[in-house]
């Protein structure tokens, strides 16, 4: 089996992760010409094109395999770094910029409980990179080998991965009291929801229709939407009177308590079960991530 130059592998990863040769050169502190030379040498060794020169740049199937291998090497180096720190606590720790440990987490978990759960690991200088996406799509990052683990709604383990249940996140429908008084004087009903806009994260986000269908027993529903691609931003937009929001109860709790938001359907919520998936590898770093996230979820989510 061929032995691949780690510098060339990290060069390939930098091109894909940074989205181009120029930014990869900046990250690696080398010239753009050197980036091209390393990639060509790696492609010659593999005997295959590794990157599709499109916009954005995309790895080929062979490129994806090498990217997964590169991230596994990063994981091994991160494990070694932790072991060395235990043996020599005074030694200078911390990995290079190009050795980041990438995981995918849904934006609502980032906005509520996940950052607190991961804080100790980051303070221990784990070179963490969090990629945000909708909870129904984070597993695609893991499936393609772009991350080591993900928080997702997918229950069944992906091939070559392990899965742990985290708990359920409850979503509630809220609006600013002044907005509700003006546009929903009879409250949120199976008819009135059609007359108001809903604040949505992005076009992947179908939580609003899910809430309406479950609450009112409808087989289908369509809502008017405005888009705010931030969990905290959605709550602020709803409080400013932009429309109705279906947001994590964890995020809206204090806003409801102090009267800035009104729960439009008390007692009704959508429970979204979350799971942690990661590569099924023996790794202290993956174990530490799993322990941190399951412990944080146990405190914040509904078990």
């Amino acid at each position: 089996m061929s032995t691949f130059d780690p510098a060339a592998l990290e060069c390939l990863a930098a091109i894909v992760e940074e989205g181009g040769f120029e930014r990869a050169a900046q990250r690696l502190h080398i010239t753009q010409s050197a980036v091209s030379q390393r990639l060509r040498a790696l492609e010659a060794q593999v005997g295959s094109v590794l990157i599709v020169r499109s916009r954005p740049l995309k790895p080929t199937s062979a490129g994806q395999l090498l990217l997964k291998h590169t991230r596994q090497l990063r994981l091994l180096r991160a494990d070694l770094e932790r072991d060395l720190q235990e043996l020599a606590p005074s030694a200078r720790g911390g990995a290079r910029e190009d050795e980041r440990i990438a995981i995918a987490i849904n934006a609502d978990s980032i906005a509520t409980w996940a950052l607190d759960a991961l804080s100790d690991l980051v303070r221990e200088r784990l070179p963490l990179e969090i990629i945000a996406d909708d909870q129904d799509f984070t597993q695609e990052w893991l499936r393609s080998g772009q991350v080591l683990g993900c928080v997702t709604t997918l229950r069944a383990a992906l091939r070559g991965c392990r899965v742990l249940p985290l708990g359920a996140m409850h979503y509630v429908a809220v609006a600013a009291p002044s907005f509700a008084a003006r546009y929903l004087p009879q409250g949120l009903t199976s008819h009135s929801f059609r007359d108001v806009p809903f604040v949505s994260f992005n076009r992947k986000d179908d939580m609003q229709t899910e809430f309406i269908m479950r609450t009112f027993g409808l087989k289908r529903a369509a809502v008017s939407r405005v888009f705010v691609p931030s969990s905290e931003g959605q709550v602020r937009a709803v409080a400013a009177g932009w429309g109705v929001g279906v947001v994590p109860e964890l995020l809206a709790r204090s806003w409801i308590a102090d009267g800035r938001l009104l729960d439009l359907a008390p007692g009704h919520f959508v429970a979204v079960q979350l799971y942690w998936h990661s590569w099924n590898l023996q790794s202290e770093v993956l174990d530490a991530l799993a322990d941190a996230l399951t412990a944080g979820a146990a405190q914040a989510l509904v078990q």
Side-chain angles (χ1 to χ4, degrees), residues 79-208:
D79 282 339
L80 177 60
E81 180 74 27
R82 288 173 65 86
D83 290 340
L84 290 174
Q85 282 292 300
E86 290 180 2
L87 291 174
S90 61
R92 186 178 179 181
R96 302 194 313 267
E97 168 68 13
D98 58 359
E99 295 183 348
R100 291 172 291 183
I101 302 299
I103 60 175
I105 302 179
N106 60 307
D108 289 336
S109 290
I110 293 173
T112 51
W113 63 272
L115 297 188
D116 287 340
L118 295 167
S119 289
D120 285 345
L121 291 179
V122 174
R123 283 193 287 266
E124 293 171 5
R125 303 191 70 180
L126 180 70
L128 192 64
E129 176 182 7
I130 298 176
I131 295 172
D133 204 342
D134 184 272
Q135 60 260 20
D136 294 334
F137 296 89
T138 48
Q139 71 268 16
E140 294 304 321
W141 292 86
L142 182 61
R143 195 190 308 274
S144 65
Q146 297 181 75
V147 299
L148 302 177
C150 68
V151 174
T152 177
T153 55
L154 185 68
R155 182 176 182 177
L158 297 174
R159 182 179 178 183
C161 296
R162 56 186 175 181
V163 58
L164 293 170
L166 295 174
M169 182 174 285
H170 286 184
Y171 286 76
V172 296
V174 294
S178 58
F179 179 93
R182 181 176 180 181
Y183 297 105
L184 297 168
Q186 306 302 317
L188 187 66
T189 69
S190 58
H191 299 288
S192 65
F193 79 85
R194 298 180 176 89
D195 301 326
V196 293
F198 282 73
V199 180
S200 181
F201 187 87
N202 58 25
R203 296 184 185 276
K204 297 178 182 178
D205 181 10
D206 62 356
M207 188 59 67
Q208 303 78 33

Side-chain angles (χ1 to χ4, degrees), residues 8 10 43 58 64 87-88 91 101 120 144 147 155 180 187 189 202 207 210-211 239 250 254 259 269 281-282 287:
E10 284 296 346
E43 288 179 328
K58 295 180 180 179
Q64 287 182 339
L87 291 174
I101 302 299
D120 285 345
S144 65
V147 299
R155 182 176 182 177
T189 69
N202 58 25
M207 188 59 67
E210 183 74 15
F211 184 91
L250 281 171
S254 63
F269 57 85
L281 299 173
Q282 187 172 4
D287 290 344

Side-chain angles (χ1 to χ4, degrees), residues 243-292:
V244 174
V246 180
V247 299
E249 189 275 335
L250 281 171
L251 199 56
R253 184 179 298 166
S254 63
W255 295 70
I256 295 172
D258 63 19
R260 289 177 292 171
L261 290 178
L262 178 68
D263 187 343
L264 297 174
H268 293 277
F269 57 85
V270 173
V272 176
Q273 183 69 44
L274 297 176
Y275 301 87
W276 166 248
H277 292 248
S278 66
W279 292 351
N280 190 20
L281 299 173
Q282 187 172 4
S283 164
E284 291 184 6
V285 168
L286 286 181
D287 290 344
L289 285 168
D291 291 345

Side-chain angles (χ1 to χ4, degrees), residues 55-73:
R55 292 190 178 182
L57 294 173
K58 295 180 180 179
T60 63
S61 297
Q64 287 182 339
L65 287 175
L66 286 182
L67 284 170
K68 184 174 182 179
H69 176 64
T70 303
R71 293 182 176 109
Q72 289 175 335
L73 291 177

